[in-house]
Amino acid sequence: MDFEAVAKYSALHLKPAGLSLQYGTAGFRTKAGHLDHIMYRMGLLAVLRSRQTKSTIGVMVTASHNPEEDNGVKLVDPLGEMLTSAWEEYATRLANAEEQEIQSILTEICQKEAVKLHQYASVFIGRDTRPSSEKLSQSVIDGVSALGGQYHDYGLVTTPQLHYMVCCQNTQEHYGKATVEGYYQKLSKAFGELTKQTSSSGDDQMCLKIDCANGIGALKLKEMERYLPKKLLIHLYNDGTKEKLNHLCGADFVKVHQKPPLGLEIKPNERCCSFDGDADRIVYYYNDTAGHFHLVDGDKIATLISTFIKELLIKIGQTLKMAVVQTAYANGSSTRYLEETMKVPVHCTKTGVKHLHHKAQEFDIGVYFEANGHGTVLFSKAAEEKIRHMAKEEKENQKREAAKMLENTIDLINQTVGDAISDMLVIEAILALKGLTVQQWDAIYTDLPNRQLKVKVADRRVIDTTDAERRAVTPPGLQEKIDELVKKYRVSRAFVRPSGTEDVVRVYSEADTQENADSLAHEVSLAVYHLAGGIGEPPQPVC
Ligand SMILES: CC(=O)N[C@H]1[C@@H](OP(=O)(O)O)O[C@H](CO)[C@@H](O)[C@@H]1O
Ligand SMILES: [Mg+2]
């Protein structure tokens, strides 16, 4: 290893004294001004991971739905998955090392992981539209170069596009061409094929208003439009030309506040959706004729997609094992509907896509979505082969057509990670094929009223959880208090957990009415404030 080069470049990317950060739910995230050294060091780490896996590794510079002033970085593993957990620990150690410790930590990682120092290394780099992202991605490049790695800078891309391209590269382009154009072509072709059957009905225009959160999604949808069939009419709002990234708009804002984004006027019953800042999440919504807002979130997306797939599986007569994976934030009504009406097994994991993704890999077909709209569908190799074989060879017309639909769904979905563009196309195709309006989709089940709140505490690590984060083990007395509060309300549920992306404790509640969900969330927030070291003003009631 050329430690001289590492030290030379490192001096240009000094760590601010006393700063300590952790590789959290979605990599490192904080104020952009604190991240230069992290970027450089993640460039170094990506080279080691590439050498160890003998594969291309991705580095994405983004802070997703966070405010524009923040930034972040995450590493992408060879098949487009999130970085494996042992390496998350290395990432944290390297990020927090003092200047003089960098060399010994790099050496230790190489020894532990049997990294061959002369192995070829390749890193794909992408970034979102934040003003700070370009400079920060240059720091990643410095890290890659310092250790003699090769890199391809894709510039402005959505997070899922980078994941896709890493997967393409490491499967010798079996998954698709490792270019943004290849991505557009693959998805557009699958979408066109899948929606072919809908084109005979005449009034089959699919109209969708998209809030792009003033982020990368707008740029990429504009590029993609010319590849898409004309029958899909998309109208882009919050395209980043006027307003600030994620400010009062985007999927996270709409989900958390349960209201429409600024900058998008909704006429009654119009189908609308919001992307988040790096276009890996999507939620749908509409206003009814009385002007009431209705959110159609990740749980409803999982329900729509799994219903569609299950119906096709019945048609092809294959007993492939399908399951839905959710987190504790999934609305209780969605879980009940999936288990009791749909008869689909449901599993609950900790928050964070990597947990859902791993669980979903256990099934022939694993549908996973966080309630906030981040999710995808995974098909096992065996399931995929079976479906592709049937789509080609099956003699019975009806079965073969159903298999073809599944095959096109496989090609349309981005299996590496949740992808707003790909998910949107899957949803639009399913709605068109099933002839469903957004209201009919929404009416599949009724969400339980719920509320999400944040509480500021001195150190959120004092809260430790178990049972897929549904119960707090520490601090003492907190879970008992939550249990007591939950008992006061009907069909209620509540839990708290430290956020992995923000310096807050998150509170979630559900109850029979919105007033009760709000009141339960407020009472639980007060319990957190008092028992887990709250700082600042005590939480105020939701108004
Ligand atoms: C309640 C919630 O929506 N939490 C989000 C949020 O994680 P936290 O650990 O809750 O901050 O950001 C993650 C990354 O985008 C996402 O995976 C997760 O679902
Ligand atoms: Mg995101």
Side-chain angles (χ1 to χ4, degrees):
M1 230 179 316
D2 186 355
F3 285 121
E4 221 172 278
V6 171
K8 196 180 103 198
Y9 277 108
S10 195
L12 305 172
H13 303 285
L14 290 175
K15 179 171 95 72
L19 184 68
S20 166
L21 295 166
Q22 233 196 332
Y23 197 98
T25 322
F28 294 101
R29 251 182 232 187
T30 187
K31 294 273 161 273
H34 289 161
L35 281 166
D36 182 52
H37 67 295
I38 301 271
M39 297 292 165
Y40 170 70
R41 294 172 186 200
M42 288 308 105
L44 298 174
L45 191 70
V47 170
L48 299 192
R49 181 73 177 147
S50 170
R51 290 197 169 124
Q52 187 225 11
T53 57
K54 301 189 177 62
S55 305
T56 292
I57 294 297
V59 179
M60 183 71 198
V61 177
T62 179
S64 181
H65 58 278
N66 286 40
E68 188 167 277
E69 302 71 42
D70 289 4
N71 217 322
V73 60
K74 46 192 166 188
L75 266 61
V76 180
D77 255 358
L79 292 179
E81 342 75 299
M82 302 285 180
L83 182 67
T84 191
S85 55
W87 282 71
E88 286 188 1
E89 253 173 70
Y90 299 145
T92 301
R93 283 188 56 203
L94 195 57
N96 297 324
E98 294 308 326
E99 209 57 24
Q100 65 280 9
E101 294 168 338
I102 293 180
Q103 185 172 335
S104 63
I105 292 180
L106 291 175
T107 308
E108 195 190 319
I109 298 172
C110 288
Q111 278 165 358
K112 265 199 185 151
E113 298 291 339
V115 176
K116 294 218 172 60
L117 294 180
H118 300 292
Q119 179 73 35
Y120 176 79
S122 149
V123 178
F124 282 2
I125 300 165
R127 65 171 196 271
D128 70 12
T129 55
R130 281 162 212 273
S132 58
S133 290
E134 188 168 2
K135 188 161 177 289
L136 290 174
S137 71
Q138 283 301 321
S139 308
V140 175
I141 291 175
D142 277 358
V144 176
S145 305
L147 278 183
Q150 300 296 311
Y151 67 87
H152 182 131
D153 182 7
Y154 281 90
L156 292 165
V157 283
T158 70
T159 295
Q161 284 178 332
L162 187 76
H163 283 251
Y164 167 88
M165 289 182 294
V166 168
C167 180
C168 290
Q169 183 70 8
N170 291 320
T171 55
Q172 286 69 50
E173 303 212 324
H174 183 72
Y175 194 63
K177 260 187 101 195
T179 60
V180 184
E181 195 182 23
Y183 169 94
Y184 298 142
Q185 283 165 341
K186 180 180 175 185
L187 267 62
S188 304
K189 180 164 178 279
F191 180 75
E193 292 287 322
L194 190 57
T195 52
K196 241 190 210 155
Q197 276 100 325
T198 62
S199 56
S200 50
S201 62
D203 61 341
D204 61 337
Q205 283 270 328
M206 300 173 229
C207 287
L208 180 66
K209 285 186 167 179
I210 309 174
D211 152 31
C212 300
N214 291 311
I216 185 74
L219 268 64
K220 297 295 137 179
L221 279 173
K222 277 181 197 164
E223 283 175 15
M224 192 177 189
E225 259 184 300
R226 66 185 180 93
Y227 295 85
L228 289 166
K230 298 276 169 295
K231 63 185 165 199
L232 177 67
L233 273 184
I234 52 174
H235 302 281
L236 309 185
Y237 298 84
N238 296 327
D239 66 355
T241 51
K242 291 190 231 40
E243 302 293 336
K244 236 177 147 176
L245 177 70
N246 296 329
H247 183 60
L248 304 176
C249 63
D252 195 66
F253 172 85
V254 172
K255 167 71 182 162
V256 173
H257 297 276
Q258 302 181 26
K259 61 180 183 194
L262 213 69
L264 190 158
E265 200 195 312
I266 318 178
K267 297 208 186 86
N269 295 333
E270 265 181 347
R271 193 162 69 242
C272 307
C273 69
S274 285
F275 286 13
D276 73 337
D278 62 339
D280 61 0
R281 287 195 204 173
I282 183 169
V283 293
Y284 272 69
Y285 44 91
Y286 66 97
N287 271 351
D288 61 24
T289 39
H292 292 135
F293 175 78
H294 296 260
L295 177 69
V296 186
D297 66 1
D299 302 334
K300 286 224 163 107
I301 296 174
T303 308
L304 181 76
I305 296 179
S306 51
T307 307
F308 176 71
I309 293 177
K310 194 172 172 187
E311 286 167 1
L312 289 175
L313 288 178
I314 293 170
K315 278 195 189 150
I316 65 168
Q318 292 284 346
T319 49
L320 294 169
K321 213 168 147 211
M322 184 175 81
V324 174
V325 185
Q326 305 184 313
T327 71
Y329 293 99
N331 195 280
S333 291
S334 74
T335 316
R336 202 163 309 127
Y337 178 83
L338 285 164
E339 284 179 334
E340 292 172 14
T341 310
M342 288 271 306
K343 310 276 183 232
V344 173
V346 180
H347 297 266
C348 184
T349 69
K350 285 169 139 181
T351 304
V353 189
K354 62 184 174 197
H355 301 296
L356 291 106
H357 193 94
H358 283 149
K359 189 72 197 173
Q361 282 173 327
E362 290 176 15
F363 310 95
D364 292 319
I365 301 173
V367 180
Y368 74 81
F369 268 88
E370 294 192 295
N372 59 33
H374 192 158
T376 187
V377 186
L378 305 185
F379 293 83
S380 71
K381 230 187 164 125
E384 194 171 322
E385 274 166 15
K386 218 178 233 180
I387 290 165
R388 290 201 196 277
H389 182 260
M390 276 191 85
K392 228 198 222 145
E393 307 290 342
E394 173 60 43
K395 299 277 180 299
E396 256 184 67
N397 281 351
Q398 223 202 344
K399 278 191 179 176
R400 194 181 56 251
E401 287 311 307
K404 274 190 191 163
M405 278 196 175
L406 278 170
E407 187 180 37
N408 288 321
T409 308
I410 292 173
D411 291 335
L412 183 52
I413 203 97
N414 184 344
Q415 291 193 57
T416 64
V417 78
D419 180 336
I421 294 180
S422 150
D423 289 339
M424 173 196 88
L425 294 173
V426 172
I427 293 163
E428 289 301 306
I430 297 177
L431 292 179
L433 284 164
K434 290 171 84 69
L436 285 178
T437 62
V438 66
Q439 299 86 328
Q440 287 165 329
W441 169 24
D442 183 36
I444 293 178
Y445 63 82
T446 308
D447 273 324
L448 279 172
N450 58 90
R451 179 62 62 194
Q452 254 196 67
L453 296 175
K454 300 176 192 181
V455 184
K456 282 204 177 299
V457 296
D459 180 3
R460 67 194 198 275
R461 287 171 303 184
V462 300
I463 297 189
D464 199 5
T465 63
T466 183
D467 188 20
E469 304 179 320
R470 288 172 289 196
R471 295 189 67 76
V473 196
T474 59
L478 179 59
Q479 188 56 50
E480 290 72 13
K481 183 71 190 166
I482 296 173
D483 290 341
E484 195 183 293
L485 294 169
V486 166
K487 275 198 200 121
K488 288 171 48 183
Y489 299 90
R490 293 190 51 237
V491 275
S492 54
R493 187 167 75 91
F495 65 90
V496 303
R497 55 174 280 282
S499 159
T501 60
E502 288 174 64
D503 191 11
V504 295
V505 173
R506 292 196 198 283
V507 171
Y508 178 85
S509 76
E510 270 175 20
D512 55 347
T513 65
Q514 190 61 56
E515 293 69 36
N516 285 345
D518 289 349
S519 159
L520 174 58
H522 174 59
E523 288 189 283
V524 173
S525 299
L526 284 174
V528 170
Y529 183 84
H530 291 301
L531 296 169
I535 51 173
E537 287 295 305
Q540 297 300 306
V542 184
C543 46

